[in-house]
Amino acid sequence: QDLNIGSIEYPLNIYFEGLDHDVEADRFFESCKEVGVWNIIHPTKGSLNLQLVSFTEVIDPIKSGDITQFETSWLEPIDLKAIKSSPQISREIDEHADDLNGEAVDQFQKRVVQNTESQIYAIESSVNKIVEAVTKHLKPLYETVPEINSRISSILRGVQDTITKTTIDTLSLAGQIIHLIELPGLAVEDVSTRLTVYSAMIQDIFSQNVSGDSLEDRNRVSVQELSLTAVLVTVSKISHSNKLKTRNKAIGSIESLSDIFESITNYLDAVQEQFVEKDIDEQYFSQSQSFMSSVMIISLSIKYLLASSFDLAVEKRIILDREATPIDVAISEYGTLGVNDANYHLLVESNNLIGDEILLLPVGREVVIYV
């Protein structure tokens, strides 16, 4: 099973020299703003069709007075003829999300057992740990959104009612857990923030270690598997819920999705190994019904981000040769402050400006611009 879904990245340093090196460098600089795939004659790989991700002009007049250097980063894109449109992929992600949730619920119901008090308690205690993880990591996403906060509170009350009954209604419980995990992902727009928060939550779930091979342990990991599958569905929906602004952000999101999927698969496979000595009807089989759907939905999400990245901005990095205010830099690089100062806010956000830097940027400060 090839879990390393991704694309080849190529870093390239480009040099312009001679009497007209500055003129040629300016032509290249302007070309970097254009949209589309480049044909590159690589020094060792030959002819390549690559997508420009970022470029930095290295300004060093003392050491390189007659040379202009650019540091660039390139990505190997998917063949445009082989990919579907972003809206088509987006619809497929939503369709597979419903399928995956259905399979996750079905395998959860078939696997958990409630023949003894200890088995029922194993489900209850595991659910409470999932609730703690959700509250700890996802609450910052939804607590300031009254409508979602209210719905989450209602679901939490429903979960407690379900798990405190003599026999737990596993169908109701599964639906409650899925909604509890998916809803916070709707509360904010920033894709990177949401992926980071959900990544932290799954690490918390991993720390709820299932160390044995009893039926109680199988109940515990079944609750975890249901929750982790809900995370996969959620991060897949996040990937196409709000358009990213830059190619670097798209690539970062692709890496996050791949890491989340791989870490979940590796964790559940490791728990499966603990049950190999048990009779087959008492063993735990990782993602027995849902694995292929998980692969499909993550693959589609990555395809969506790659397809969308063609129209996103390229990252340009400059080194300030004088002190400047962020407003001055925004106007000089973007032309205007933008509608409602959008360009200024983009500059502040993309460079993580805080404190005194919001007022004045020092000489030598690297600034990221999107073109």
Side-chain angles (χ1 to χ4, degrees):
Q1 299 165 2
D2 183 3
L3 304 182
N4 293 318
I5 305 169
S7 183
I8 300 173
E9 293 184 52
Y10 294 89
L12 287 173
N13 290 335
I14 299 174
Y15 301 89
F16 295 88
E17 62 178 354
L19 293 177
D20 296 327
H21 71 91
D22 53 338
V23 176
E24 290 300 301
D26 284 342
R27 289 180 57 204
F28 175 74
F29 181 85
E30 291 302 317
S31 297
C32 289
K33 300 178 183 180
E34 297 176 8
V35 175
V37 177
W38 291 55
N39 179 250
I40 305 296
I41 308 301
H42 194 278
T44 60
K45 304 297 182 181
S47 179
L48 297 171
N49 291 321
L50 301 177
Q51 182 73 58
L52 180 60
V53 175
S54 67
F55 64 99
T56 304
E57 183 177 0
V58 180
I59 301 176
D60 189 1
I62 296 176
K63 295 182 179 179
S64 304
D66 59 347
I67 294 177
T68 302
Q69 177 185 350
F70 288 89
E71 294 176 352
T72 65
S73 179
W74 305 78
L75 179 72
E76 184 180 51
I78 292 177
D79 183 354
L80 288 173
K81 297 178 181 178
I83 63 174
K84 300 177 182 178
S85 68
S86 296
Q88 285 177 307
I89 300 173
S90 182
R91 287 194 296 271
E92 288 190 29
I93 291 173
D94 289 334
E95 292 170 1
H96 281 280
D98 293 337
D99 293 340
L100 181 53
N101 277 334
E103 291 167 355
V105 171
D106 191 43
Q107 67 187 11
F108 175 72
Q109 285 188 280
K110 289 178 178 178
R111 188 177 293 139
V112 295
V113 291
Q114 302 184 65
N115 298 325
T116 66
E117 289 186 11
S118 62
Q119 291 167 358
I120 296 173
Y121 178 72
I123 299 172
E124 179 184 348
S125 60
S126 295
V127 170
N128 282 327
K129 289 180 180 178
I130 296 298
V131 168
E132 290 176 8
V134 169
T135 304
K136 177 181 176 181
H137 296 282
L138 304 187
K139 190 173 183 179
L141 294 180
Y142 65 78
E143 63 182 346
T144 58
V145 185
E147 181 181 353
I148 295 180
N149 192 21
S150 176
R151 291 173 66 185
I152 293 292
S153 298
S154 177
I155 293 172
L156 289 172
R157 290 192 296 271
V159 168
Q160 292 306 313
D161 287 342
T162 301
I163 62 177
T164 52
K165 290 181 179 178
T166 305
T167 300
I168 296 173
D169 183 343
T170 54
L171 178 59
S172 295
L173 178 61
Q176 290 165 338
I177 290 175
I178 288 171
H179 284 97
L180 185 64
I181 290 173
E182 288 188 12
L183 272 177
L186 304 176
V188 299
E189 291 189 354
D190 184 68
V191 173
S192 300
T193 298
R194 287 180 285 173
L195 291 179
T196 299
V197 169
Y198 277 95
S199 294
M201 190 185 79
I202 66 172
Q203 294 302 319
D204 197 331
I205 295 176
F206 294 161
S207 69
Q208 301 166 15
N209 190 32
V210 177
S211 56
D213 60 2
S214 64
L215 289 176
E216 287 80 3
D217 290 313
R218 193 174 74 175
N219 281 357
R220 293 186 185 97
V221 72
S222 296
V223 172
Q224 291 182 343
E225 181 185 71
L226 175 69
S227 305
L228 293 170
T229 304
V231 170
L232 287 178
V233 171
T234 304
V235 297
S236 297
K237 289 182 175 181
I238 288 172
S239 70
H240 71 105
S241 63
N242 188 51
K243 187 172 181 180
L244 294 163
K245 295 178 180 178
T246 70
R247 291 175 191 167
N248 261 11
K249 289 282 188 181
I251 293 171
S253 297
I254 288 171
E255 292 174 348
S256 294
L257 287 175
S258 296
D259 290 343
I260 288 172
F261 174 66
E262 186 172 355
S263 63
I264 288 175
T265 300
N266 289 343
Y267 172 77
L268 294 176
D269 284 354
V271 176
Q272 174 181 294
E273 291 298 314
Q274 298 170 193
F275 289 79
V276 293
E277 300 299 328
K278 304 292 289 185
D279 292 340
I280 193 167
D281 59 333
E282 295 184 3
Q283 288 187 27
Y284 162 72
F285 296 98
S286 170
Q287 305 177 83
S288 56
Q289 292 178 232
S290 63
F291 179 75
M292 288 311 301
S293 293
S294 296
V295 172
M296 181 61 71
I297 198 169
I298 293 298
S299 298
L300 284 170
S301 300
I302 289 172
K303 285 183 180 180
Y304 175 85
L305 291 168
L306 281 173
S308 300
S309 70
F310 298 131
D311 298 324
L312 300 181
V314 177
E315 182 181 270
K316 165 190 168 187
R317 294 178 178 269
I318 61 173
I319 306 296
L320 297 180
D321 56 4
R322 60 180 178 81
E323 290 185 336
T325 65
I327 291 177
D328 287 338
V329 176
I331 293 174
S332 64
E333 294 295 331
Y334 291 114
T336 69
L337 289 176
V339 179
N340 297 322
D341 297 335
N343 291 334
Y344 167 73
H345 293 303
L346 174 60
L347 181 76
V348 172
E349 178 187 348
S350 56
N351 289 278
N352 299 315
L353 301 185
I354 58 174
D356 293 341
E357 286 191 329
I358 293 179
L359 303 175
L360 187 68
L361 296 169
V363 176
R365 173 64 151 89
E366 183 180 74
V367 178
V368 176
I369 306 295
Y370 296 107
V371 297

